Amino acid sequence: MASKKELQVSAIENGTVIDHIPADKLFDVINVLCIDKIQNNAMTFGTNLKSNQQGKKAIVKIWDKFLEDGEVNKLALVAPEAKINIIKDYEVVEKKLVQVPDNVDGIVKCMNPKCVTNYEYVPTKFTVVNKSPIVLRCRYCEKMTDQQNFVII
Amino acid sequence: MTTRCLVSISDYSKEEIIEVLQSASEFEKNPNQRLLEGKVVASLFFEPSTRTRLSFETAINRLGGRIIGFADASSSSVQKGETLKDTIKMVDNYCDLIVMRHPVEGAARYASEVAKHPVINAGDGANQHPSQTMLDLYSIYKTQGSLENLNICMVGDLKYGRTVHSLLQAMSHFHPVFHFVAPKELRMPDEYKIYLDELGIPYYEHTELSEQVMNIADILYMTRVQKERFADLLEYEKVKNVYILKNSMLNGTKDNLRILHPLPRVGEIDVDVDDNPKAYYFEQARNGVFARQAIICKSLGIK
């Protein structure tokens, strides 16, 4: 019932609600999704909200924007536990669980300073070798980048 | 004919490794075969490596191929600020195969994506040096008659030494038992131990090159313990002599034991070992030419 109440409080007509973001990851989510670059969509951010599951959580609501798969993948790198609700006509029409992808292309920087991707313009490509915690293996230098060292490009 | 890059030793399956070793053995019997007649091979050494370059260029010459390229980046357009991508694109227009050495890790993989022709990695920073691994495997195969069920003892810098990491990966196909002998600071990294655990391959770690370990080994793979790897120089002084191999230490070892070293050595194998029939490091370097002939031919889909 709690979630219903929440939706009523901040209902949007059409758009995306990213719920269950860990409270301290709100700004990472904003960065990863480049939400700050969005010009014309109305948005609501909330953090340190009460959550039965998480204690505290953050939430992002974007009017008239529907997250695509690539964007959902990006979210997996900073807030894999987040839940995405696609809203149409005030109803939740689709619930997406954030899935950790098998491959991560061009989102995270390789943490190896000697990697070719840090020397010239080469988009990063990683294979996900572990999903929780996330560990990425660079296609080029073959070194691991772990979750604590993620720098989002 | 399918062409095939060799950037990382994991690019070759077990079957391909065996195929290349058999081909290397053919080249050893008959090194001068003009299989590269009419082919141009680019030999791009963005950092100097005389040993590797001469070995590759000898292999190409023995196959009758022509070579273009440079021996260090100072004599190329890299000096003018050209990107790796542009250099590779340009050279790719001229040649049939690219052999490259580069100080940046992942440079060869990137080049293989940019080039239309196959790329052979002759070393990319501390990452991979697969032709070294193939010549190590060929040396083991030749001296032991097989790669299966061997006791491999790796000594020295097991943390930073790329040759030991690639050799470990490649040997994992052949049911080995590993002994890692290294100072605490230079132990085999966990990721490789996890890799062996997952494959169920037994390994034992030691801090001393003891008689006990030496006497069960089929292969003693020596590497250099470099002073600059130690944060604490006192620590280096303590361990530096522990990993020096002397002839007297070989008395109780197996007859089939062979001592390998990727070279250059700087004191970690005493010169008095050189005359021992178990010393194999100079022949090992010679095997490099045959292994590289085999790799080049596989890359171009010849033979």
Side-chain angles (χ1 to χ4, degrees), chain A residues 73-90:
Chain A
N73 282 358
K74 287 185 186 184
L75 215 44
L77 301 169
V78 292
E81 49 285 84
K83 289 177 181 61
I84 298 167
N85 296 318
I86 303 296
I87 313 289
K88 285 189 178 154
D89 206 12
Y90 296 103

Side-chain angles (χ1 to χ4, degrees), chain B residues 183-185 207-208 225 230 232-243:
Chain B
K184 216 164 66 254
E185 291 79 357
T207 49
E208 273 180 50
V225 174
F230 286 80
D232 182 357
L233 285 183
L234 192 67
E235 216 40 57
Y236 170 75
E237 292 300 324
K238 274 191 232 161
V239 302
K240 68 174 186 187
N241 292 324
V242 179
Y243 304 98

Side-chain angles (χ1 to χ4, degrees), chain A residues 112 114-117 119-123 125 137 139-144, chain B residues 8 10 83-85 103-107 109-110 113 124 126-128 191:
Chain A
N112 174 12
K114 291 183 187 157
C115 177
V116 68
T117 58
Y119 271 81
E120 59 182 79
Y121 179 71
V122 182
K125 286 181 190 158
R137 185 207 302 273
R139 170 173 168 80
Y140 297 98
C141 72
E142 305 182 15
K143 298 285 180 292
M144 307 293 177
Chain B
S8 174
S10 56
T83 62
L84 173 63
K85 181 182 181 178
V104 171
E105 295 168 21
R109 179 70 67 197
Y110 179 56
E113 292 177 348
D124 59 331
N127 184 31
Q128 284 276 337
E191 58 180 288

Side-chain angles (χ1 to χ4, degrees), chain B residues 104-152:
Chain B
V104 171
E105 295 168 21
R109 179 70 67 197
Y110 179 56
S112 76
E113 292 177 348
V114 169
K116 290 195 295 286
H117 293 103
V119 170
I120 297 175
N121 184 6
D124 59 331
N127 184 31
Q128 284 276 337
H129 190 6
S131 66
Q132 174 72 44
T133 310
M134 289 308 295
L135 82 86
D136 290 344
L137 290 175
Y138 183 53
S139 300
I140 296 171
Y141 175 73
K142 220 173 103 177
T143 59
Q144 307 298 319
S146 164
L147 293 175
E148 294 284 347
N149 306 311
L150 296 172
N151 281 305
I152 312 278

Side-chain angles (χ1 to χ4, degrees), chain A residues 12-87:
Chain A
I12 62 175
E13 187 178 354
N14 292 299
T16 304
V17 174
I18 308 165
D19 201 359
H20 297 287
I21 302 167
D24 60 343
K25 297 289 185 200
L26 173 65
F27 292 98
D28 285 340
V29 170
I30 293 172
N31 277 340
V32 166
L33 298 181
C34 300
I35 293 173
D36 52 336
K37 305 279 189 314
I38 296 174
Q39 297 284 338
N40 297 317
N41 303 57
M43 287 175 262
T44 316
F45 305 128
T47 189
N48 295 334
L49 304 169
K50 261 189 202 160
S51 161
N52 291 337
Q53 289 169 24
Q54 293 163 288
K56 287 193 298 183
K57 68 170 183 179
I59 196 164
V60 170
K61 301 187 179 201
I62 313 168
W63 271 254
D64 302 318
K65 180 172 170 66
F66 305 98
L67 282 191
E68 289 161 18
D69 281 354
E71 291 168 306
V72 172
N73 282 358
K74 287 185 186 184
L75 215 44
L77 301 169
V78 292
E81 49 285 84
K83 289 177 181 61
I84 298 167
N85 296 318
I86 303 296
I87 313 289

Side-chain angles (χ1 to χ4, degrees), chain B residues 215-232:
Chain B
N215 293 355
I216 53 166
D218 299 303
I219 290 292
L220 194 58
Y221 197 94
M222 301 290 296
T223 63
R224 190 149 61 101
V225 174
Q226 289 167 283
K227 197 174 178 177
E228 56 270 29
R229 300 294 191 201
F230 286 80
D232 182 357

